[in-house]
Amino acid sequence: MLLSRREFCQATAMMGLTCSSGISLKAQTAKRYWLYIGTYTSGKSKGIYLYEWRTDGKLSHRGLAAESPNPSFLAVHPTHKYLYAVGEVNTLDGKRTGGVRAFALDTKTGRLTLLNQQPSGGSGPCHLIVDPVGRHVLVANYSGGTVAVLPIESDGRLAEPCCVVQHQGKSINPKRQEAPHPHSVN
């Protein structure tokens, strides 16, 4: 596919490069971003892993950012000071509920420090988001059939769920649809 000069410059700009006069490219100073990967911890994995991604295309593994049980979905606070992770489990502290963990995020090193953990309002939390202004974490609990809202304190810690909605119903496939299974909250 042939691109016009304008299309070529737009495409290279999206990749973090600049288009100078003529057809040559001049690389800008590479920007660094932290990439967090949540995992299931039933095997060798221990939690949330940290990678450094640079706009020059380099990706470097930086190790374990934080130990956490089944942090299968992660969300970053709008201030980039905190990271929240589901604990996709069915019991927490002997109760039938999953968990949500709050971490302080060190923007210089990428390391995470556990602030606290709260129940997710149902078992098997599989998805969460932080609202756009950073006041609440919303979580979908697949196995429990619930969706919950956890307030975020001023220091990034989570409060207990202030609202839990229990979904009802089933559908035509008795093996997979015997009960509600919220899988996302947006």
Side-chain angles (χ1 to χ4, degrees), residues 9-184:
C9 287
Q10 287 173 338
T12 58
M14 290 176 15
M15 293 185 290
L17 303 172
T18 57
C19 188
S20 61
S21 61
I23 196 69
S24 64
L25 296 176
K26 185 169 103 180
Q28 292 179 338
T29 303
K31 292 183 182 177
R32 179 180 74 180
Y33 297 93
W34 296 122
L35 173 65
Y36 295 93
I37 299 178
T39 63
Y40 287 104
T41 55
S42 57
K44 294 179 182 178
S45 176
K46 294 184 179 194
I48 302 169
Y49 289 86
L50 176 65
Y51 287 78
E52 178 184 310
W53 178 77
R54 293 175 18 158
T55 54
D56 63 4
K58 293 183 179 166
L59 181 66
S60 305
H61 181 249
R62 296 292 183 216
L64 183 66
E67 286 194 36
S68 189
N70 289 341
S72 62
F73 204 91
L74 313 171
V76 176
H77 191 275
T79 64
H80 301 271
K81 292 180 180 179
Y82 311 108
L83 180 138
Y84 300 95
V86 299
E88 193 170 338
V89 296
N90 290 321
T91 57
L92 179 71
D93 299 328
K95 298 177 183 165
R96 185 146 173 79
T97 186
V100 180
R101 287 184 163 203
F103 294 92
L105 192 158
D106 183 330
T107 57
K108 291 184 182 190
T109 66
R111 295 293 173 209
L112 301 175
T113 303
L114 181 65
L115 296 173
N116 75 333
Q117 174 176 269
Q118 290 291 350
S120 67
S123 59
C126 61
H127 186 259
L128 55 70
I129 63 168
V130 179
D131 76 69
V133 295
R135 293 186 187 150
H136 298 92
V137 167
L138 292 84
V139 60
N141 295 291
Y142 183 84
S143 301
T146 61
V147 175
V149 178
L150 290 82
I152 299 173
E153 304 292 341
S154 62
D155 63 357
R157 295 176 192 272
L158 293 168
E160 290 187 12
C162 64
C163 179
V164 178
V165 176
Q166 176 67 58
H167 292 265
Q168 303 295 324
K170 58 185 176 180
S171 193
I172 60 173
N173 184 340
K175 290 184 180 178
R176 296 194 64 230
Q177 299 171 326
E178 78 295 349
H181 297 292
H183 204 172
S184 180

